[in-house]
Each structure stands twice: as C-alpha cells, then as structure tokens.
C-alpha cells in the first residue's frame, strides 16, 4: 500500500477515535462528579504512550501529533508505523470496552 494511502487510513481512524474519545471523556467527567473514576492514567507506562492522563483525548492528541510528524517524513519507518498502529488499535479497543461497560 502506498505511503499516502496508509497515512489517509490512519487519519480516518484517528477521526473515528477522536469522536469516541470525546464521548468517553464526557462519561468520565460525569462519573468523576458522581465520585467514581478515581484513577491516574487510562494506559500503563508499558503500553507505548508518552501521555499520562485520566482522559482519552490527550492520547488521541499524542497520536495525531505523531501522524503529522510522519506526514513530513520522506519515507515511513516500519517500526514507527507498527507502533502507531498498535497504539491506535489499543485506543480503539479500550474505548469500545469502556462504552460497553458504561
């Protein structure tokens, strides 16, 4: 698959995750106001994110920033691409699990 197509697919998936993250963060805000949701970070350190947040949107922003950086590269490094896909999939899976449980 050409590099442009890969980047377009990642962009589309990030847009999907962005909308889901907004909904999930709104639910988390409601849970926190009700005295629930007392955790420090959505993802553990070893899951590949630099961000540490108790909301989803900062993780989406991290991936979006990295995608913009990838678009500036002449050629995508396979390991960078693999890490991006892995974290994007983890974010999607976690958002879906959160949605089912709330």
């Amino acid at each position: 698959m050409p590099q442009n197509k890969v980047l377009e697919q990642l962009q589309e998936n990030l847009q999907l995750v962005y909308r889901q993250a907004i909904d999930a963060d709104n639910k988390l805000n409601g849970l926190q106001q009700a005295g629930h949701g007392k955790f420090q970070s959505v993802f553990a350190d070893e899951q590949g994110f630099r961000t540490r947040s108790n909301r989803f949107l900062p993780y989406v922003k991290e991936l979006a920033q990295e995608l913009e950086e990838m678009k500036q590269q002449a050629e995508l490094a396979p390991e960078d691409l693999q890490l991006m896909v892995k974290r994007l999939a983890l974010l999607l899976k976690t958002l879906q699990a959160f949605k089912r449980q709330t």
Side-chain angles (χ1 to χ4, degrees):
M1 183 181 283
Q3 180 170 319
N4 288 343
K5 286 288 186 191
V6 171
L7 294 173
E8 286 175 19
Q9 286 292 326
L10 288 171
Q11 184 72 41
E12 288 174 18
N13 284 310
L14 270 174
Q15 289 171 345
L16 173 69
V17 169
Y18 176 78
R19 290 187 291 273
Q20 291 180 7
I22 290 173
D23 292 341
D25 284 353
N26 286 336
K27 287 181 184 178
L28 283 171
N29 290 338
L31 288 170
Q32 188 176 25
Q33 288 176 354
H36 306 289
K38 297 178 181 179
F39 55 94
Q40 298 297 316
S41 183
V42 173
F43 297 107
D45 291 342
E46 63 274 358
Q47 291 179 298
F49 289 96
R50 291 186 313 268
T51 299
R52 296 289 160 253
S53 178
N54 61 356
R55 297 294 183 268
F56 288 98
L57 203 51
Y59 295 99
V60 175
K61 288 180 180 180
E62 177 182 327
L63 292 181
Q65 179 181 354
E66 288 181 22
L67 180 60
E68 289 304 313
E69 292 169 6
M70 291 172 88
K71 288 179 181 179
Q72 304 305 316
Q73 297 174 5
E75 195 168 318
L76 292 176
E79 57 275 0
D80 291 343
L81 187 57
Q82 288 174 346
L83 182 59
M84 169 68 79
V85 170
K86 176 185 167 193
R87 291 180 297 157
L88 184 57
L90 178 62
L91 192 51
L92 272 167
K93 182 179 173 184
T94 305
L95 282 163
Q96 290 169 354
F98 179 74
K99 185 177 181 180
R100 281 192 305 271
Q101 292 177 2
T102 57

